Amino acid sequence: MRFTRRNTALATVAAAAVTAGLLVPGASGASGAAAATAGGDPNVPAACADRRPGPADPGAYGMQLDGTFRHPALTPVDEESDHPFPGRNAAYDTRSYIKNMKVEAAYEGADFTPDYFHTWQNVVDFDGRRYLFQYDRSEGRVYDITDVRKVRVVEKMSREDVDGDETRANGDWAAHDYWGASTVQWNKKLNAYVMVQSFESKRQISELSDHPPLDKYNNPDGVRKLREKPGLKGFKVYRLDGPRKKDWKLLATVSTDSTQTDPLRSDPATAQQGSGSIDVPYWTGEKYMFIATAPDDTYSGTEYPTNLHSAGYQSWDMSDPAHPKLLDTWHLPGQRTGEDAAYRQNPRCGNRTSWMGARMPLFLPKPVEKGGRYAFAAMGGYGLTVLDVSDPSNLRTVSHLDLPASVSGTEGDNIDVSQYEKTGMIYYSGYPLTEDCYEPYKDVYQIDAKDPRKPRVVGALPRPVPPRSAGFTDYCQRRGSFGPKRTGYYTNPGKHDAGVLGYGFYNAGVQFFDVSDPADPEISAYFVPKAYGRDTADYAYGNQTHGVYVEWDRNIAWVLTNHGIYALSSKVLGKPDLDAPAKPFRNSEF
């Protein structure tokens, strides 16, 4: 499927319809801004009356006569429910499909599935061996992946024996400690790997619910309990002298809570304000680091019913990794309490659904230390912003672009900038949160940013289509979530191949796109694994391929699923190296 003028026109009409729909009061029962401030918390948004979407009309979406799927135009947050439609498979698909790829190895089971829904990855090299970190908070694994076909587990960390309670210590973790989303880079000053770990508010919580009356707008007791939870909001810095946790040396514990007297001497056993550092910090081992964070509780401009913070960005001086220094903080108008006039300008205001604010740090095509000037920000319902970061102590807005509303689901999460230096193109995407395609489709937008002052949408990557052998015509029928996640991270070892983008696509597996000709992108290879494995919990059957991590220096793609890990090769990546890498990974390449 190609992106055509007809598709562009349809997208424009759909966006207008969605924007209009966002301004229609929902069916949640709250009657206005006063209802939103029940309980008196000043940092729960109340700029607009309740406009929460009601359930989508079942007759307005579903399979079409030509075998395609029509997505609903507007839906509420509803991650937990089933949404069957005529033509949906009766059961989850246990077959796999492959094109222009080869499975070099497969590893299944709990040792290779720290979390069913999402994990982070990093690579380090010690003594001629390559190790892969895979982790999500208290569940962590370290693998020796030197021989791709004989991967060994060398460390397993868990809190299963204390029911996952992060406030309790056990043999693997101290109280309030866990493995946050990390960047690992070689630091010349220390002549060692340094890992920066994000510590943030937990997103899967019991204090609040997606639905009234237990959401943040109607549950002041839940909001209070969430604000009172202890834990570090910020990041930790470690020196790594080996791949295992015993080899980590803590260099710094840094709070991003702006109310702390000294960010390097906060108490993680007490409650801290703000979101903490969110997802993977951007740092290449040199002087400057950029993180996504809400520094205090006034960064509140987000509609999402269980999230209290709207993250902007900070820059830090990492000249001495043991003593990071804050340089600057940036946010968009409307993100903070009291900026109601700006907040009301966003058509999502009052929809009680949209994630608004950063989820990932800034995306830089080139590090500042190597002459990089521009950074791109994906900010959910706030769209795309281009920043000038050439002076990290003075972050400046260059331009802003609103993207078509796509509610619910995550509207803006990832920007792939790997092609920017060659083509001026960036690839902007959100990701689905519901199953059975019960939300608008999440396009991967092609944005021409050659002139950073005037970024513009010029297309979208083609939608994956199942092979004829599948017996269904659209991946929505396969059950589970369907849509793009991310193209890995800038931390992937080696230099990203020109013209190649690989996305984890949930129930469509991993999809590799050929974007060498931006005017004619196409899917060049894919691997769609079975929907679940022998040990997958039934509630996770729909969360299938949620990540891809490419070793560009060995031409191996690691695909992360709800039942294990696959090692893949492909002619679109180049000849694979299944043995020890020719040289160790040290720093991200651009």
Side-chain angles (χ1 to χ4, degrees), residues 128-286:
R129 310 296 296 179
R130 172 154 289 187
Y131 299 91
L132 176 69
F133 297 155
Q134 186 190 20
Y135 56 93
D136 181 57
R137 296 181 79 98
S138 295
E139 292 293 324
R141 310 287 187 270
V142 179
Y143 312 113
D144 184 331
I145 61 168
T146 310
D147 184 337
V148 172
R149 293 185 175 135
K150 296 180 181 179
V151 168
R152 295 186 300 111
V153 180
V154 299
E155 180 140 291
K156 177 179 177 179
M157 291 166 276
S158 179
R159 265 201 179 93
E160 289 182 354
D161 59 326
V162 292
D163 298 322
D165 186 350
E166 290 177 355
T167 67
R168 298 170 63 185
N170 71 348
D172 292 329
W173 302 104
H176 309 291
D177 200 18
Y178 57 86
W179 199 338
S182 303
T183 181
V184 180
Q185 302 286 332
W186 190 262
N187 182 257
K188 293 179 181 177
K189 179 178 180 179
L190 299 182
N191 195 35
Y193 286 116
V194 172
M195 175 164 63
V196 183
Q197 290 185 355
S198 286
F199 276 66
E200 63 171 300
S201 306
K202 199 167 186 177
R203 298 183 193 174
Q204 302 300 320
I205 56 175
S206 59
E207 291 81 6
L208 298 173
S209 167
D210 292 342
H211 308 287
L214 298 178
D215 61 348
K216 70 181 181 183
Y217 299 100
N218 300 282
N219 182 6
D221 188 52
V223 171
R224 177 185 58 78
K225 289 178 179 178
L226 202 56
R227 296 211 192 277
E228 292 175 353
K229 290 183 72 171
L232 174 66
K233 304 288 185 67
F235 58 92
K236 290 187 177 183
V237 185
Y238 291 89
R239 172 182 172 139
L240 305 187
D241 294 319
R244 297 169 178 83
K245 189 167 183 268
K246 67 180 179 62
D247 304 316
W248 304 355
K249 179 184 178 182
L250 182 63
L251 301 179
T253 298
V254 185
S255 176
T256 52
D257 175 0
S258 60
T259 70
Q260 298 288 320
T261 303
D262 183 346
L264 272 67
R265 290 176 174 80
S266 69
D267 182 3
T270 62
Q272 298 188 9
Q273 287 199 35
S275 65
S277 175
I278 299 177
D279 289 1
V280 181
Y282 176 90
W283 182 57
T284 61
E286 299 188 61

Side-chain angles (χ1 to χ4, degrees), residues 6-50:
R6 177 177 179 273
N7 290 333
T8 305
L10 288 173
T12 302
V13 172
V18 170
T19 300
L22 285 166
L23 301 178
V24 177
S28 68
S31 59
T37 59
D41 190 302
N43 294 313
V44 172
C48 296
D50 184 354

